[in-house]
Amino acid sequence: MPITLVNPDGLPQIDAYRQVSVATGSKLVFVAGQVAWDVGGVTVGEGDLAAQVEQCYLNVSTALAGVGATFDDVAKLTVYVVDWTPDKMPLLLEGIARAAAKLGTVPAPPASLLGVATLDVPEHLVEVEATAVID
């Protein structure tokens, strides 16, 4: 496995992600920001942040699988949330947990969460992009 996740001493231990990833693979995989579309391009969970987070993570997993990768190969995630406020954290974590249960893994690579004014269309509340490393 080309990715090792680490929480170095001296940094906070965050359950949702690790502080550092070490990549040793030979190919970089860049997954475009995934929104809460189903395979037909229909928005899943309109108005429901947790449902949209879940769909985004499932879409990232599908994109990774398309090139022979999994969440175990992800070195970094970036999550964009419309009108982010800290009170939305439980919904974000719920969506991640639901996706993790369906995927059978806990996606916990280093992550950045950014609040944004808007995304591609008004009904999208979240977008998730990934960088992975494979052999």
Side-chain angles (χ1 to χ4, degrees), residues 96-130:
I96 294 169
R98 289 175 7 194
K102 287 183 177 176
L103 297 170
T105 187
V106 177
S112 295
L113 189 152
L114 301 167
V116 296
T118 189
L119 291 169
D120 58 333
V121 295
E123 58 268 20
H124 289 156
L125 304 175
V126 62
E127 183 171 320
V128 180
E129 64 182 24

mmCIF file of all heavy atoms in Angstrom, residues 96-130:
data_model
loop_
_atom_site.group_PDB
_atom_site.id
_atom_site.type_symbol
_atom_site.label_atom_id
_atom_site.label_comp_id
_atom_site.label_asym_id
_atom_site.label_seq_id
_atom_site.Cartn_x
_atom_site.Cartn_y
_atom_site.Cartn_z
ATOM 1 N N ILE A 96 -19.973 11.234 6.272
ATOM 2 C CA ILE A 96 -18.743 10.446 6.127
ATOM 3 C C ILE A 96 -18.936 9.056 6.726
ATOM 4 O O ILE A 96 -18.551 8.052 6.124
ATOM 5 C CB ILE A 96 -17.546 11.171 6.770
ATOM 6 C CG1 ILE A 96 -17.233 12.458 5.999
ATOM 7 C CG2 ILE A 96 -16.321 10.259 6.811
ATOM 8 C CD1 ILE A 96 -16.244 13.375 6.698
ATOM 9 N N ALA A 97 -19.547 8.992 7.900
ATOM 10 C CA ALA A 97 -19.767 7.703 8.564
ATOM 11 C C ALA A 97 -20.679 6.803 7.735
ATOM 12 O O ALA A 97 -20.440 5.595 7.625
ATOM 13 C CB ALA A 97 -20.351 7.921 9.961
ATOM 14 N N ARG A 98 -21.718 7.371 7.150
ATOM 15 C CA ARG A 98 -22.623 6.569 6.318
ATOM 16 C C ARG A 98 -21.899 6.026 5.093
ATOM 17 O O ARG A 98 -22.077 4.861 4.715
ATOM 18 C CB ARG A 98 -23.850 7.390 5.932
ATOM 19 C CG ARG A 98 -24.754 7.616 7.118
ATOM 20 C CD ARG A 98 -25.959 8.492 6.974
ATOM 21 N NE ARG A 98 -26.363 8.997 5.698
ATOM 22 C CZ ARG A 98 -27.261 9.982 5.554
ATOM 23 N NH1 ARG A 98 -27.819 10.530 6.618
ATOM 24 N NH2 ARG A 98 -27.592 10.408 4.364
ATOM 25 N N ALA A 99 -21.075 6.860 4.466
ATOM 26 C CA ALA A 99 -20.301 6.389 3.311
ATOM 27 C C ALA A 99 -19.311 5.317 3.746
ATOM 28 O O ALA A 99 -19.155 4.297 3.068
ATOM 29 C CB ALA A 99 -19.569 7.561 2.660
ATOM 30 N N ALA A 100 -18.643 5.537 4.884
ATOM 31 C CA ALA A 100 -17.666 4.563 5.388
ATOM 32 C C ALA A 100 -18.330 3.211 5.621
ATOM 33 O O ALA A 100 -17.755 2.164 5.299
ATOM 34 C CB ALA A 100 -17.022 5.075 6.667
ATOM 35 N N ALA A 101 -19.536 3.221 6.178
ATOM 36 C CA ALA A 101 -20.246 1.964 6.423
ATOM 37 C C ALA A 101 -20.538 1.238 5.112
ATOM 38 O O ALA A 101 -20.389 0.016 5.027
ATOM 39 C CB ALA A 101 -21.541 2.240 7.185
ATOM 40 N N LYS A 102 -20.934 1.974 4.092
ATOM 41 C CA LYS A 102 -21.214 1.353 2.799
ATOM 42 C C LYS A 102 -19.949 0.870 2.108
ATOM 43 O O LYS A 102 -19.961 -0.140 1.411
ATOM 44 C CB LYS A 102 -21.951 2.333 1.887
ATOM 45 C CG LYS A 102 -23.387 2.556 2.279
ATOM 46 C CD LYS A 102 -24.100 3.472 1.311
ATOM 47 C CE LYS A 102 -25.568 3.610 1.709
ATOM 48 N NZ LYS A 102 -26.265 4.570 0.837
ATOM 49 N N LEU A 103 -18.854 1.607 2.295
ATOM 50 C CA LEU A 103 -17.597 1.266 1.635
ATOM 51 C C LEU A 103 -16.777 0.231 2.405
ATOM 52 O O LEU A 103 -15.844 -0.343 1.861
ATOM 53 C CB LEU A 103 -16.754 2.530 1.434
ATOM 54 C CG LEU A 103 -17.365 3.593 0.527
ATOM 55 C CD1 LEU A 103 -16.563 4.884 0.600
ATOM 56 C CD2 LEU A 103 -17.459 3.079 -0.899
ATOM 57 N N GLY A 104 -17.087 0.044 3.683
ATOM 58 C CA GLY A 104 -16.330 -0.901 4.502
ATOM 59 C C GLY A 104 -14.952 -0.394 4.865
ATOM 60 O O GLY A 104 -14.045 -1.180 5.123
ATOM 61 N N THR A 105 -14.781 0.916 4.879
ATOM 62 C CA THR A 105 -13.507 1.519 5.237
ATOM 63 C C THR A 105 -13.762 2.864 5.896
ATOM 64 O O THR A 105 -14.834 3.441 5.740
ATOM 65 C CB THR A 105 -12.610 1.708 3.994
ATOM 66 O OG1 THR A 105 -11.323 2.147 4.407
ATOM 67 C CG2 THR A 105 -13.190 2.712 3.023
ATOM 68 N N VAL A 106 -12.792 3.350 6.639
ATOM 69 C CA VAL A 106 -12.906 4.670 7.246
ATOM 70 C C VAL A 106 -11.963 5.610 6.503
ATOM 71 O O VAL A 106 -10.748 5.534 6.678
ATOM 72 C CB VAL A 106 -12.558 4.638 8.750
ATOM 73 C CG1 VAL A 106 -12.623 6.031 9.343
ATOM 74 C CG2 VAL A 106 -13.493 3.693 9.486
ATOM 75 N N PRO A 107 -12.501 6.474 5.630
ATOM 76 C CA PRO A 107 -11.637 7.392 4.896
ATOM 77 C C PRO A 107 -11.089 8.463 5.834
ATOM 78 O O PRO A 107 -11.824 9.328 6.271
ATOM 79 C CB PRO A 107 -12.554 7.992 3.827
ATOM 80 C CG PRO A 107 -13.932 7.501 4.095
ATOM 81 C CD PRO A 107 -13.890 6.596 5.269
ATOM 82 N N ALA A 108 -9.804 8.386 6.164
ATOM 83 C CA ALA A 108 -9.232 9.309 7.147
ATOM 84 C C ALA A 108 -7.900 9.917 6.719
ATOM 85 O O ALA A 108 -7.061 10.192 7.559
ATOM 86 C CB ALA A 108 -9.075 8.583 8.479
ATOM 87 N N PRO A 109 -7.696 10.169 5.418
ATOM 88 C CA PRO A 109 -6.445 10.818 5.023
ATOM 89 C C PRO A 109 -6.452 12.275 5.476
ATOM 90 O O PRO A 109 -7.500 12.800 5.872
ATOM 91 C CB PRO A 109 -6.461 10.729 3.499
ATOM 92 C CG PRO A 109 -7.903 10.705 3.148
ATOM 93 C CD PRO A 109 -8.567 9.933 4.268
ATOM 94 N N PRO A 110 -5.300 12.947 5.423
ATOM 95 C CA PRO A 110 -5.305 14.370 5.714
ATOM 96 C C PRO A 110 -6.376 15.064 4.869
ATOM 97 O O PRO A 110 -6.598 14.699 3.708
ATOM 98 C CB PRO A 110 -3.904 14.834 5.302
ATOM 99 C CG PRO A 110 -3.058 13.617 5.481
ATOM 100 C CD PRO A 110 -3.950 12.474 5.080
ATOM 101 N N ALA A 111 -7.039 16.037 5.476
ATOM 102 C CA ALA A 111 -8.143 16.702 4.791
ATOM 103 C C ALA A 111 -8.151 18.189 5.117
ATOM 104 O O ALA A 111 -7.767 18.587 6.214
ATOM 105 C CB ALA A 111 -9.470 16.071 5.198
ATOM 106 N N SER A 112 -8.594 18.951 4.160
ATOM 107 C CA SER A 112 -8.843 20.372 4.363
ATOM 108 C C SER A 112 -10.319 20.615 4.118
ATOM 109 O O SER A 112 -10.894 20.076 3.166
ATOM 110 C CB SER A 112 -8.023 21.224 3.395
ATOM 111 O OG SER A 112 -6.662 21.082 3.657
ATOM 112 N N LEU A 113 -10.942 21.413 4.974
ATOM 113 C CA LEU A 113 -12.350 21.761 4.830
ATOM 114 C C LEU A 113 -12.413 23.260 4.591
ATOM 115 O O LEU A 113 -11.898 24.041 5.392
ATOM 116 C CB LEU A 113 -13.114 21.380 6.093
ATOM 117 C CG LEU A 113 -14.625 21.499 5.994
ATOM 118 C CD1 LEU A 113 -15.277 20.500 6.934
ATOM 119 C CD2 LEU A 113 -15.113 22.884 6.284
ATOM 120 N N LEU A 114 -13.044 23.638 3.488
ATOM 121 C CA LEU A 114 -13.144 25.044 3.125
ATOM 122 C C LEU A 114 -14.599 25.445 2.963
ATOM 123 O O LEU A 114 -15.372 24.752 2.292
ATOM 124 C CB LEU A 114 -12.422 25.306 1.801
ATOM 125 C CG LEU A 114 -10.937 24.945 1.783
ATOM 126 C CD1 LEU A 114 -10.414 24.950 0.367
ATOM 127 C CD2 LEU A 114 -10.167 25.908 2.639
ATOM 128 N N GLY A 115 -14.979 26.547 3.574
ATOM 129 C CA GLY A 115 -16.295 27.117 3.351
ATOM 130 C C GLY A 115 -16.275 27.946 2.082
ATOM 131 O O GLY A 115 -15.326 28.693 1.840
ATOM 132 N N VAL A 116 -17.298 27.780 1.254
ATOM 133 C CA VAL A 116 -17.389 28.510 -0.002
ATOM 134 C C VAL A 116 -18.763 29.160 -0.111
ATOM 135 O O VAL A 116 -19.716 28.735 0.541
ATOM 136 C CB VAL A 116 -17.128 27.590 -1.216
ATOM 137 C CG1 VAL A 116 -15.713 27.042 -1.197
ATOM 138 C CG2 VAL A 116 -18.137 26.451 -1.288
ATOM 139 N N ALA A 117 -18.866 30.165 -0.946
ATOM 140 C CA ALA A 117 -20.137 30.863 -1.127
ATOM 141 C C ALA A 117 -21.128 30.018 -1.927
ATOM 142 O O ALA A 117 -22.322 29.991 -1.637
ATOM 143 C CB ALA A 117 -19.916 32.204 -1.815
ATOM 144 N N THR A 118 -20.616 29.329 -2.947
ATOM 145 C CA THR A 118 -21.488 28.537 -3.814
ATOM 146 C C THR A 118 -20.652 27.499 -4.555
ATOM 147 O O THR A 118 -19.422 27.602 -4.613
ATOM 148 C CB THR A 118 -22.242 29.447 -4.813
ATOM 149 O OG1 THR A 118 -23.230 28.692 -5.504
ATOM 150 C CG2 THR A 118 -21.289 30.106 -5.784
ATOM 151 N N LEU A 119 -21.331 26.514 -5.127
ATOM 152 C CA LEU A 119 -20.676 25.519 -5.970
ATOM 153 C C LEU A 119 -21.251 25.620 -7.379
ATOM 154 O O LEU A 119 -21.816 26.646 -7.737
ATOM 155 C CB LEU A 119 -20.844 24.117 -5.376
ATOM 156 C CG LEU A 119 -20.081 23.881 -4.076
ATOM 157 C CD1 LEU A 119 -20.497 22.577 -3.414
ATOM 158 C CD2 LEU A 119 -18.582 23.903 -4.330
ATOM 159 N N ASP A 120 -21.152 24.558 -8.166
ATOM 160 C CA ASP A 120 -21.530 24.601 -9.577
ATOM 161 C C ASP A 120 -23.000 24.904 -9.819
ATOM 162 O O ASP A 120 -23.349 25.594 -10.760
ATOM 163 C CB ASP A 120 -21.128 23.305 -10.277
ATOM 164 C CG ASP A 120 -21.756 22.076 -9.645
ATOM 165 O OD1 ASP A 120 -22.062 22.096 -8.441
ATOM 166 O OD2 ASP A 120 -21.925 21.071 -10.357
ATOM 167 N N VAL A 121 -23.873 24.337 -8.982
ATOM 168 C CA VAL A 121 -25.313 24.598 -9.082
ATOM 169 C C VAL A 121 -25.856 24.833 -7.678
ATOM 170 O O VAL A 121 -25.294 24.321 -6.695
ATOM 171 C CB VAL A 121 -26.072 23.437 -9.786
ATOM 172 C CG1 VAL A 121 -25.644 23.304 -11.243
ATOM 173 C CG2 VAL A 121 -25.887 22.128 -9.053
ATOM 174 N N PRO A 122 -26.932 25.584 -7.538
ATOM 175 C CA PRO A 122 -27.418 25.957 -6.200
ATOM 176 C C PRO A 122 -27.772 24.784 -5.287
ATOM 177 O O PRO A 122 -27.647 24.901 -4.074
ATOM 178 C CB PRO A 122 -28.665 26.801 -6.496
ATOM 179 C CG PRO A 122 -28.497 27.274 -7.895
ATOM 180 C CD PRO A 122 -27.703 26.225 -8.604
ATOM 181 N N GLU A 123 -28.195 23.644 -5.851
ATOM 182 C CA GLU A 123 -28.611 22.536 -4.986
ATOM 183 C C GLU A 123 -27.444 21.748 -4.393
ATOM 184 O O GLU A 123 -27.630 20.955 -3.473
ATOM 185 C CB GLU A 123 -29.579 21.586 -5.711
ATOM 186 C CG GLU A 123 -29.056 20.964 -6.964
ATOM 187 C CD GLU A 123 -29.381 21.745 -8.232
ATOM 188 O OE1 GLU A 123 -29.685 22.942 -8.159
ATOM 189 O OE2 GLU A 123 -29.308 21.141 -9.308
ATOM 190 N N HIS A 124 -26.232 21.965 -4.881
ATOM 191 C CA HIS A 124 -25.072 21.261 -4.331
ATOM 192 C C HIS A 124 -24.546 21.989 -3.105
ATOM 193 O O HIS A 124 -24.220 23.171 -3.150
ATOM 194 C CB HIS A 124 -23.972 21.108 -5.373
ATOM 195 C CG HIS A 124 -24.326 20.128 -6.430
ATOM 196 N ND1 HIS A 124 -23.774 20.138 -7.677
ATOM 197 C CD2 HIS A 124 -25.201 19.081 -6.427
ATOM 198 C CE1 HIS A 124 -24.286 19.156 -8.398
ATOM 199 N NE2 HIS A 124 -25.156 18.509 -7.656
ATOM 200 N N LEU A 125 -24.437 21.245 -2.005
ATOM 201 C CA LEU A 125 -23.997 21.799 -0.728
ATOM 202 C C LEU A 125 -22.551 21.474 -0.411
ATOM 203 O O LEU A 125 -21.957 22.100 0.466
ATOM 204 C CB LEU A 125 -24.890 21.255 0.403
ATOM 205 C CG LEU A 125 -26.386 21.493 0.253
ATOM 206 C CD1 LEU A 125 -27.139 20.793 1.385
ATOM 207 C CD2 LEU A 125 -26.687 22.983 0.212
ATOM 208 N N VAL A 126 -21.993 20.464 -1.087
ATOM 209 C CA VAL A 126 -20.645 19.999 -0.766
ATOM 210 C C VAL A 126 -19.987 19.427 -2.021
ATOM 211 O O VAL A 126 -20.668 18.938 -2.918
ATOM 212 C CB VAL A 126 -20.689 18.947 0.377
ATOM 213 C CG1 VAL A 126 -21.463 17.719 -0.030
ATOM 214 C CG2 VAL A 126 -19.310 18.592 0.880
ATOM 215 N N GLU A 127 -18.663 19.521 -2.037
ATOM 216 C CA GLU A 127 -17.859 18.936 -3.116
ATOM 217 C C GLU A 127 -16.601 18.372 -2.477
ATOM 218 O O GLU A 127 -16.026 19.003 -1.585
ATOM 219 C CB GLU A 127 -17.507 20.013 -4.145
ATOM 220 C CG GLU A 127 -16.739 19.502 -5.334
ATOM 221 C CD GLU A 127 -16.608 20.554 -6.428
ATOM 222 O OE1 GLU A 127 -17.578 21.290 -6.687
ATOM 223 O OE2 GLU A 127 -15.513 20.630 -7.018
ATOM 224 N N VAL A 128 -16.186 17.194 -2.915
ATOM 225 C CA VAL A 128 -15.016 16.523 -2.344
ATOM 226 C C VAL A 128 -14.069 16.143 -3.469
ATOM 227 O O VAL A 128 -14.471 15.468 -4.426
ATOM 228 C CB VAL A 128 -15.423 15.255 -1.550
ATOM 229 C CG1 VAL A 128 -14.192 14.566 -0.969
ATOM 230 C CG2 VAL A 128 -16.419 15.603 -0.449
ATOM 231 N N GLU A 129 -12.807 16.574 -3.358
ATOM 232 C CA GLU A 129 -11.790 16.164 -4.321
ATOM 233 C C GLU A 129 -10.711 15.376 -3.601
ATOM 234 O O GLU A 129 -10.523 15.535 -2.393
ATOM 235 C CB GLU A 129 -11.210 17.359 -5.076
ATOM 236 C CG GLU A 129 -10.453 18.341 -4.223
ATOM 237 C CD GLU A 129 -9.951 19.539 -5.021
ATOM 238 O OE1 GLU A 129 -10.502 19.886 -6.071
ATOM 239 O OE2 GLU A 129 -8.965 20.136 -4.566
ATOM 240 N N ALA A 130 -10.019 14.522 -4.343
ATOM 241 C CA ALA A 130 -9.029 13.630 -3.745
ATOM 242 C C ALA A 130 -7.774 13.557 -4.583
ATOM 243 O O ALA A 130 -7.825 13.668 -5.810
ATOM 244 C CB ALA A 130 -9.621 12.226 -3.593
#
